Amino acid sequence: MSILVLAEYHDGQLSAATAQVVAAAQQISQADGGEIHVLVAGEAVSAEAAARLDGVRKVRVADHAVYAHQLAEPLSALLVDLAGEYTHVLAAASTTGKNVLPRLAALKDVSQISEIIGVESDDTFKRPIYAGNAIATVQSADPLKVITVRATAFDAVAEGNSAPIEAVDTVVENAQSTFVKEALAASDRPELSAARVVISGGRGMGSGENFTLLDGIADKLGAAIGASRAAVDAGFVPNDMQVGQTGKIVAPELYIAVGISGAIQHLAGMKDSKVIVAINKDEEAPIFQVADYGLVADLFEALPELESKLSGPS
């Protein structure tokens, strides 16, 4: 048994989720000690960070302009070419993974297993369904297991390895898609899905301007700022800040929900957080059912006071 993990890069840096996917691959390979390989695909990419991940036996590098921006069409064609050497292909359940792996599964005529959170054996996995209210145990008899991994469910492997790096000569043709442009939101804050602390605002914030009330607290805690879908749909903040079933899945050490009622779709994206704090003036809000600490208060009074307390004595 051999497992191929698709590495994910952002701004030339290996995504932290890749180390978590490797951790899932290690659990799958424990049955017979199968090898774990990491595929680094892109243009002018570096494989050293992937080679340092513990448990990785080999890093394979496909470095060509056709793989730039990790478009689904060329990446899936590359994976089809390599898949015959593997029993499992894994990727993070991120924008890239959700874009590439379904296409690979279709081209190989196998089922995809999405967003696993646990490994029972090399062919049996656990995944959330019904917005996380139930956990399904699914088994696959396909010769190739195509799997996306909910990275927050696995602890990242350590770095101390020195896996060999080999070049992949396969260059596919791509006449189906063209990269046009990307619009990146510049921020000095931690990346939302990887942050240790997240503070999110909901519809109760009232407007986009009021989200500035979260800035001071986020600065003091080194936190990322998120939002509920209701706040995004209302136009308060851009959709790359959305936390929830249809947004980003987060599991920080501390999650602070401000003015968020706690719709089931939002809870599905953050309820695995280690400590959850809720601030809402509605004492019946569903968010209090999952919160470790709840404050029934007007957020416009509570937030300035919280920021003042975090600043210490005057």
Side-chain angles (χ1 to χ4, degrees):
M1 177 175 65
S2 295
I3 301 171
L4 182 64
V5 172
L6 176 63
E8 189 166 330
Y9 278 78
H10 297 294
D11 296 328
Q13 301 295 317
L14 184 70
S15 169
T18 302
Q20 294 165 301
V21 177
V22 170
Q26 283 185 325
Q27 294 186 24
I28 296 171
S29 69
Q30 283 176 351
D32 63 3
E35 292 190 359
I36 299 172
H37 297 173
V38 173
L39 173 64
V40 175
E43 183 180 18
V45 288
S46 171
E48 281 72 18
R52 289 195 295 269
L53 298 177
D54 286 352
V56 174
R57 191 71 62 87
K58 182 192 296 183
V59 177
R60 309 184 69 177
V61 181
D63 192 337
H64 193 275
V66 73
Y67 304 124
H69 309 293
Q70 296 193 314
L71 299 180
E73 291 76 10
L75 267 191
S76 58
L78 172 63
L79 287 170
V80 167
D81 186 72
L82 299 176
E85 304 172 39
Y86 298 96
T87 55
H88 300 70
V89 176
L90 276 62
S94 60
T95 301
T96 299
K98 291 178 179 180
N99 198 21
V100 176
L101 259 58
R103 190 173 182 87
L104 167 65
L107 292 169
K108 295 296 291 183
D109 195 24
V110 298
S111 300
Q112 177 178 297
I113 303 173
S114 300
E115 297 206 38
I116 68 166
I117 59 171
V119 176
E120 296 288 291
S121 68
D122 63 346
D123 66 356
T124 307
F125 312 93
K126 290 186 177 293
R127 62 178 302 269
I129 57 174
Y130 303 130
N133 284 298
I135 305 299
T137 301
V138 295
Q139 185 175 35
S140 171
D142 289 330
L144 176 67
K145 315 296 192 288
V146 177
I147 302 168
T148 59
V149 177
R150 182 172 287 189
T152 55
F154 297 88
D155 293 329
V157 298
E159 296 184 9
N161 193 14
S162 182
I165 299 171
E166 74 170 24
V168 175
D169 296 328
T170 303
V171 177
V172 302
E173 294 184 4
N174 178 32
Q176 298 170 291
S177 62
T178 303
F179 175 78
V180 178
K181 67 176 181 178
E182 61 184 357
L184 300 177
S187 175
D188 294 330
R189 302 196 188 282
E191 202 279 320
L192 184 58
S193 58
R196 292 176 59 253
V197 180
V198 174
I199 180 167
S200 290
R203 197 202 315 266
M205 298 299 295
S207 69
E209 290 75 16
N210 289 334
F211 264 75
T212 58
L213 292 170
L214 305 180
D215 289 342
I217 297 171
D219 289 340
K220 290 176 172 56
L221 296 177
I225 297 180
S228 68
R229 178 169 180 172
V232 172
D233 287 349
F236 296 169
V237 292
N239 60 10
D240 62 349
M241 293 174 61
Q242 182 179 326
V243 173
Q245 184 179 15
T246 55
K248 294 182 178 179
I249 307 296
V250 301
E253 295 179 16
L254 172 63
Y255 186 87
I256 304 174
V258 182
I260 295 175
S261 63
I264 187 172
Q265 293 85 355
H266 185 77
L267 299 183
M270 47 63 71
K271 66 181 182 181
D272 290 331
S273 304
K274 306 300 184 292
V275 177
I276 299 172
V277 175
I279 301 173
N280 199 300
K281 65 180 180 181
D282 179 9
E283 63 182 18
E284 301 297 327
I287 191 70
F288 288 123
Q289 297 177 16
V290 299
D292 298 286
Y293 301 94
L295 175 62
V296 179
D298 185 331
L299 67 88
F300 297 105
E301 298 176 0
L303 290 178
E305 185 174 355
L306 175 57
E307 183 177 351
S308 174
K309 296 294 185 184
L310 290 172
S311 300
S314 56

